[in-house]
């Protein structure tokens, strides 16, 4: 990390990184080089201009504000940091996230939060197809709509959608919980509507609170989850596959 | 006197042979296809169909046990800051924790480290048994992403993006509920006792252009230090190798249809993919056409058994081979000492392949705590190391006889084929001729 570069400067309390001047590699290396306990806890990334792999593999609780839209895999494998994209995100935002938060102020493309293990992904706009695919513990809150095949093979975690969901929601779902406020075009194999019990209302309220949603009530949502009929292979269920 | 026509000798159909009949009966009784482990069992064109020529007058042999024959190999020299250096060109292929027991994974690590090579994780995450005992560990990045996490990614020495597997190109996996112990369930983020489906494709990318971006992400996460392998099932080796190179792979792994699996459909194992022998030359050709041969390293796996197989694969242009099934046998799988127990399971030592059921008498492909105790990781690791060293010595013996001071100097010119099929697949002449089917306008 060339500390004397003109591209990095103190701006308020944040360390500013201009991708028009410095490379993605330098940004990520600087983030990875941070030592535990560093006082460089606030970062600002300028001119991302659709770059792929912005702020991937961060393993410390820092805050990163990305001023603009990003390409694929922004915040991939995030572990503990809070990343805010002041724009839209390309495919695979927050893929395999471990913990921390990612907030997308705009829309997100396909596979948002794919295979995520933990943490919170908030998409203030819409998400595209396969949102939360194969999710494994992550919480995802989408203010807008989500596309088809979302939460396919979702194992655990929570997906909250304030808008509508596309076709085949929750296909082959395991233990993840899906909460959708709008309409669902169709449910995938083994995914069914379920009763919203008090513990689910409480859980959902907590998720909405964490995602900064204040004008929506948990009672407006329906819950979806696994019918658990495909958990052990049975030839009589073959038409479901 | 009554004349009786002489009876004809009963004749069984070659098409409906005993195995086929038994499979029809089994399917009719159970209503489910047969699931098993291991690789293709049908007879396929293989390395046995090739012979080395050795040196006489036109070639000059090296002295066995006297003149050096190098075996080392560097993998990942294209982009990685820290390429892998192995003492031998034989690696241990990915086999999952979950499919294999913890002691078996430890034994693989011990054996590989003793012989100067690497092990590979598999579908199920990285275990302390394996990381702790493998000097060099390749971490597989699989469609399921079971157990995938940032810190293990950084603890790995290389990353293998698994796109396909030789036993089942295009297929996913199924770990049946009976093998899901508490630990396996926790690592895979799934409830205990349910079947665990491994996806057939990666959830967050769809094609070669996406793969290129995915590899960039993995490089960025690991600061461009670790080699990135791309593993494909041996189905379309020319195009898949070329696309893996285009996507930025440091190493391409091509797994032929004799390659094993933990569990999939018998019909899949036996009918999808191409023999390992048939995969090598197209993969090498792709590298040569792109000017990347020896720059992007090629590993081939699927049915490698001895030093002759190693030498033949290297002579055809690969940089290293990988073993899975053979490594399990070296640890003690299918050992006749457990014959009585194999019989109780309705099979015999050498044919046991119901690895998914978790009842492996050898304690290798199981999560049963009592059976697992049968694997002594130290002794089993020693057996694997012995086996790897024997294979290496065998390959060196052949290479010296061909006049080579490095295994990597073996070349197609050192080989002939016994069958027209093998000659065509390997691109070497039929023995006693200069005829390579498919070349020179034949």
């Amino acid at each position: 990390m060339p500390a004397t570069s003109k591209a990095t400067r103190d701006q308020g309390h944040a360390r500013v990184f201009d991708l028009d001047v410095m490379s993605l590699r330098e940004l990520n290396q600087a983030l990875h080089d941070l030592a535990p306990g560093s006082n460089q806890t606030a970062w600002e990334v300028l001119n991302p201009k659709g770059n792929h792999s912005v702020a991937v593999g961060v393993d410390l609780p820092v805050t990163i504000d990305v001023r603009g839209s990003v390409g694929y895999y922004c915040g991939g494998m995030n572990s503990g940091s809070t990343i805010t994209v002041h724009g839209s995100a390309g495919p695979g935002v927050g893929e395999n996230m471990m913990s921390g938060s990612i907030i997308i102020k705009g829309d997100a493309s396909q596979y948002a939060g794919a295979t995520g293990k933990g943490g919170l992904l908030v998409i203030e706009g819409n998400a595209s197809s396969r949102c939360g695919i194969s999710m494994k513990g992550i919480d995802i809150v989408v203010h807008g709509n989500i596309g088809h095949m979302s939460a396919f093979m979702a194992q655990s975690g929570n997906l909250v959608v304030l808008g509508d969901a596309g076709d085949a929601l929750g296909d082959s779902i395991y233990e993840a919980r899906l909460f959708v406020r709008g309409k669902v075009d169709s449910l995938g194999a083994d995914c069914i509507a379920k009763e919203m019990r008090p513990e689910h209302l409480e859980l959902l309220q907590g998720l909405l609170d964490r995602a900064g949603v204040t004008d929506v009530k948990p009672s407006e949502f329906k819950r979806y989850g696994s019918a658990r009929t495909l958990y052990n292979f049975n030839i009589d269920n073959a038409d479901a596959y | 006197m009554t004349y009786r026509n002489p009876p004809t000798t009963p004749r069984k159909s070659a098409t409906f042979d005993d195995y086929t009949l038994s499979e029809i009966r089994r399917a009719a009784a159970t209503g489910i296809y047969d699931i098993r482990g291991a690789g293709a069992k049908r007879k396929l064109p293989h390395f046995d169909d090739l012979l080395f020529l050795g040196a006489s007058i036109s070639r000059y042999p090296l002295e066995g046990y006297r003149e050096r024959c190098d075996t080392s190999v560097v993998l990942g020299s294209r982009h990685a800051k820290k390429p892998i250096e192995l003492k031998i060109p034989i690696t241990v292929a990915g086999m999952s924790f979950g499919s294999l027991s913890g002691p078996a994974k430890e034994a693989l690590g011990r054996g590989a480290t003793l012989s100067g090579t690497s092990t590979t994780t598999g579908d199920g995450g990285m275990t302390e048994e394996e990381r702790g005992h493998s000097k060099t560990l390749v971490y597989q990045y699989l469609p399921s992403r079971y157990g995938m996490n940032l810190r293990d990614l950084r603890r790995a020495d290389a990353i293998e993006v698994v796109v396909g597997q030789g036993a089942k190109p295009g297929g996913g996996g199924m770990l049946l509920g009976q093998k899901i112990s508490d630990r396996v369930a926790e690592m895979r983020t799934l409830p205990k006792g349910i079947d665990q489906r491994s996806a057939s494709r990666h959830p967050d990318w769809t094609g070669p252009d996406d793969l290129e971006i995915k590899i960039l992400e993995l490089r960025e996460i690991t600061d461009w230090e670790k080699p990135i392998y791309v593993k494909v099932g041996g189905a379309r080796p020319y195009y898949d190798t070329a696309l893996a190179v285009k996507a930025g792979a440091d190493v391409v792994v091509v797994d032929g249809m004799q390659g094993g699996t933990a569990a999939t459909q018998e019909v899949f194992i036996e009918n999808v993919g191409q023999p390992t022998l048939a995969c090598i030359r197209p993969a090498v050709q792709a590298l040569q056409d792109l000017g990347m041969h020896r720059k992007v390293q090629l590993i081939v796996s699927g049915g490698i058994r001895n030093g002759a197989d190693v030498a033949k694969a290297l002579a055809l242009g690969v940089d290293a081979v990988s073993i899975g099934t053979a490594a399990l046998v070296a640890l003690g799988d299918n050992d006749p000492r457990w014959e009585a127990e194999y019989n109780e399971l309705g099979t015999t030592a050498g044919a046991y392949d119901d690895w998914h059921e978790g009842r492996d008498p050898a304690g290798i492909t199981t999560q049963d705590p009592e059976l697992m105790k049968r694997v002594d990781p130290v002794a089993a690791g020693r057996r694997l190391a012995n086996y790897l060293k024997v294979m290496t010595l065998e390959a060196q013996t052949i290479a010296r006889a061909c006049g080579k001071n490095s295994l990597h100097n073996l070349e197609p010119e050192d080989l002939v084929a016994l069958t027209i099929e093998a000659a065509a697949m390997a691109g070497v002449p039929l023995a006693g001729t200069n005829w390579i089917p498919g070349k020179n306008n034949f």
Side-chain angles (χ1 to χ4, degrees):
Chain A
M1 173 72 209
T4 57
S5 168
K6 293 175 184 173
T8 60
R9 61 188 188 278
D10 289 334
Q11 181 169 299
H13 68 289
R15 184 163 179 194
V16 178
F17 226 101
D18 187 344
L19 287 176
D20 262 356
V21 182
M22 297 188 76
S23 68
L24 174 81
R25 181 80 283 277
E26 289 169 301
L27 167 66
N28 286 327
Q29 189 70 59
L31 288 165
H32 299 168
D33 286 345
L34 278 174
S38 166
N39 61 5
Q40 291 185 328
T41 56
W43 293 66
E44 192 169 1
V45 179
L46 306 181
N47 296 306
K49 295 181 178 174
N51 253 297
H52 306 317
S53 304
V54 170
V56 294
V58 180
D59 196 13
L60 282 175
V62 296
T63 62
I64 303 164
D65 282 277
V66 183
R67 304 288 176 187
S69 295
V70 292
Y72 280 61
Y73 304 127
C74 177
M77 289 207 173
N78 177 38
S79 184
S81 77
T82 299
I83 301 170
T84 304
V85 176
H86 300 269
S88 292
V93 61
E95 69 86 18
N96 211 83
M97 182 156 80
M98 307 301 301
S99 60
S101 302
I102 299 178
I103 300 105
I104 309 299
K105 293 290 184 182
D107 298 320
S109 186
Q110 311 169 89
Y111 342 122
T115 78
K117 305 290 193 299
L120 176 68
L121 170 63
V122 179
I123 297 158
E124 295 191 359
N126 302 305
S128 184
S129 61
R130 298 167 187 256
C131 180
I133 185 169
S134 198
M135 53 194 282
K136 295 173 169 60
I138 190 174
D139 293 324
I140 304 174
V141 178
V142 182
H143 289 209
N145 306 319
I146 58 173
H148 65 269
M149 289 296 278
S150 289
F152 175 58
M153 288 176 77
Q155 294 182 203
S156 67
N158 301 289
L159 171 62
V160 179
V161 183
L162 277 64
D164 302 331
D167 277 321
L169 177 71
D171 193 288
S172 301
I173 188 173
Y174 290 99
E175 293 293 289
R177 298 185 191 91
L178 314 180
F179 301 95
V180 182
R181 181 162 164 251
K183 70 179 174 61
V184 174
D185 284 344
S186 66
L187 295 173
D190 215 30
C191 185
I192 56 171
K194 292 190 162 184
E195 178 192 4
M196 187 77 103
R197 296 194 297 268
E199 67 264 32
H200 302 118
L201 293 168
E202 187 181 344
L203 169 74
L204 183 51
Q205 184 63 59
L207 288 163
L208 293 170
D209 290 345
R210 286 169 60 205
V213 178
T214 55
D215 53 348
V216 173
K217 295 174 185 166
S219 57
E220 297 171 31
F221 290 76
K222 282 186 179 172
R223 181 168 76 97
Y224 302 90
S226 179
R228 302 187 176 107
T229 59
L230 303 182
Y231 274 17
N232 292 96
F233 187 85
N234 181 334
I235 193 66
D236 293 331
N237 290 330
D239 59 354
Y241 292 100
Chain B
M1 178 177 169
T2 306
Y3 178 78
R4 296 182 65 186
N5 285 331
T8 53
T9 302
R11 182 170 67 154
K12 289 186 176 176
S13 168
T15 304
F16 287 88
D17 60 14
D18 283 347
Y19 176 77
T20 305
L21 294 174
S22 71
E23 175 52 22
I24 291 171
R25 292 186 197 103
R26 193 208 56 75
T30 65
I32 185 172
Y33 40 56
D34 188 30
I35 292 178
R36 69 167 175 87
K41 293 189 173 185
R42 63 158 69 189
K43 185 166 175 56
L44 295 163
H46 202 23
F47 294 111
D48 288 341
D49 300 318
L50 301 179
L51 296 173
F52 279 103
L53 294 174
S56 295
I57 298 175
S58 56
R59 292 284 177 121
Y60 184 79
L62 298 187
E63 204 65 63
Y65 305 107
R66 290 287 184 276
E67 290 181 283
R68 181 169 174 75
C69 179
D70 187 34
T71 64
S72 63
V73 62
V74 176
L75 300 171
S77 54
R78 183 185 186 188
H79 292 301
K81 286 183 200 166
K82 296 181 178 175
I84 283 176
E85 295 184 44
L86 302 178
K87 289 181 182 172
I88 60 174
I90 311 164
T91 67
V92 177
M95 291 175 276
S96 72
F97 173 76
S99 174
L100 299 195
S101 67
K105 290 298 271 181
E106 178 181 336
L108 291 175
R110 287 177 178 275
T113 300
L114 280 171
S115 43
T117 192
S118 59
T119 59
T120 311
T121 54
D123 199 355
M126 185 185 289
T127 60
E128 292 308 318
E129 289 94 328
E130 192 164 31
R131 176 64 281 183
H133 293 93
S134 297
K135 178 171 179 289
T136 307
L137 180 59
V138 182
Y139 190 30
Q140 285 194 330
Y141 192 79
L142 288 131
S144 72
R145 312 277 165 83
Y146 287 143
M148 171 56 57
N149 70 74
L150 180 61
R151 289 170 193 176
D152 286 346
L153 201 68
R154 290 190 170 137
R155 290 202 299 163
D157 299 293
I159 298 158
E160 182 170 293
V161 180
V162 179
V163 184
Q165 191 178 345
K168 46 182 177 181
M174 174 79 88
L175 191 63
L176 294 184
Q178 58 261 42
K179 277 184 86 168
I180 312 301
S181 67
D182 287 334
R183 184 178 174 197
V184 173
E186 183 186 344
M187 286 179 71
R188 298 188 182 214
T189 331
L190 281 168
K192 189 177 178 182
I194 67 170
D195 300 343
Q196 302 193 350
R197 302 183 290 266
S198 297
S200 65
R201 57 179 188 263
H202 284 265
D204 55 352
W205 55 270
T206 53
D209 293 336
D210 285 359
L211 174 58
E212 186 171 356
I213 301 167
K214 172 55 71 177
I215 288 175
L216 168 73
E217 184 207 12
L218 292 170
R219 289 197 199 286
E220 282 297 321
I221 288 172
T222 55
D223 296 332
W224 290 71
E225 289 182 347
K226 302 175 197 307
I228 308 287
Y229 301 12
V230 174
K231 178 177 179 176
V232 296
R236 295 175 181 82
Y238 183 89
Y239 294 106
D240 287 339
T241 300
L243 289 171
V245 170
K246 186 260 179 192
D250 294 302
V251 177
V252 179
V253 183
V254 177
D255 191 24
M257 74 179 284
Q258 292 103 319
T261 181
T264 198
Q265 300 91 339
E266 153 96 4
V267 70
F268 205 146
I269 295 173
E270 297 287 358
N271 294 284
V272 183
Q274 294 201 59
T276 303
L277 180 64
C279 294
I280 296 179
R281 289 300 291 166
V284 172
Q285 190 68 52
L287 293 171
Q288 290 171 335
D289 289 352
L290 293 166
M292 299 303 280
H293 192 215
R294 308 299 187 197
K295 295 175 185 169
V296 170
Q297 287 80 35
L298 177 66
I299 298 177
V300 165
S301 51
I304 302 289
R305 304 153 300 176
N306 53 43
D309 290 353
V310 176
K312 288 168 185 174
L314 265 55
L316 292 175
V318 317
D319 297 280
V321 299
S322 201
I323 59 167
T325 304
L328 297 186
V329 174
L331 296 189
D333 199 73
N334 268 295
D335 195 297
R337 67 191 289 208
W338 308 112
E339 180 64 15
E341 293 184 45
Y342 287 124
N343 293 162
E344 284 178 24
L345 294 171
T347 185
T348 184
Y352 177 66
D353 56 20
D354 286 328
W355 295 339
H356 57 292
E357 292 182 347
R359 296 188 290 169
D360 184 355
I364 292 169
T365 59
T366 181
Q367 297 300 313
D368 182 308
E370 289 305 310
L371 293 173
M372 281 161 56
K373 289 178 187 169
R374 296 181 177 182
V375 177
D376 174 349
V378 176
R382 183 71 242 178
R383 289 168 59 87
L384 175 61
N386 287 344
Y387 171 59
L388 288 165
K389 287 178 179 177
V390 168
M391 290 175 93
T392 306
L393 278 172
E394 289 172 341
Q396 285 175 301
T397 299
I398 289 170
R400 286 194 186 96
C402 294
K404 315 295 185 185
N405 65 2
S406 166
L407 292 183
H408 300 286
N409 290 346
L410 287 163
E411 56 190 322
E413 200 278 337
D414 294 313
L415 292 167
V416 293
L418 283 171
T419 66
I420 295 172
E421 289 85 353
M425 290 177 188
V428 300
L430 186 67
T433 79
N434 62 358
W435 179 38
I436 302 175
K439 291 196 175 174
N440 305 324
N441 297 321
F442 282 108

